[in-house]
Amino acid sequence: MFDVWEMLGRRVRGREAVPASLNELRLVLKEEWENITQYDICSLNDSMNGRIQAVIAAKGGNTKY
C-alpha cells in the first residue's frame, strides 16, 4: 500500500479536471480527504509492521515505502 499523502495525490490526479487555482486545490483535497474510508485507513495500519521491519532492515536508510 502507500501512504495517505500519496493516496490523496492519486485521487486528485485521477480527477477529470485538474484544479486551476490554489483555492480549488484546497477544496479538492478537502473533498478527497473526506472520501477516505475506514477500510483505506485500516489497510495502511495493517501495512505498518512491514514498513517498520523494512526500516529496521535498512538500518534507517531508504526502503521501498
Side-chain angles (χ1 to χ4, degrees):
M1 187 98 191
F2 38 87
D3 63 41
V4 173
W5 300 115
E6 184 177 348
M7 185 185 304
L8 280 172
R10 286 178 186 217
R11 290 177 181 211
V12 170
R13 287 188 303 273
R15 287 176 160 248
E16 285 186 28
V18 176
S21 67
L22 185 57
N23 191 47
E24 189 176 330
L25 177 59
R26 284 186 184 116
L27 294 173
V28 167
L29 285 168
K30 184 176 186 292
E31 182 178 317
E32 292 299 344
W33 179 263
E34 291 170 353
N35 288 331
I36 294 175
T37 65
Q38 187 66 38
Y39 176 81
D40 295 326
I41 299 302
C42 287
S43 294
L44 288 173
N45 187 54
D46 291 345
S47 72
M48 283 305 297
N49 190 37
R51 292 168 184 260
I52 291 168
Q53 292 303 318
V55 170
I56 291 169
K59 298 181 179 175
N62 294 335
T63 69
K64 68 179 182 178
Y65 301 103

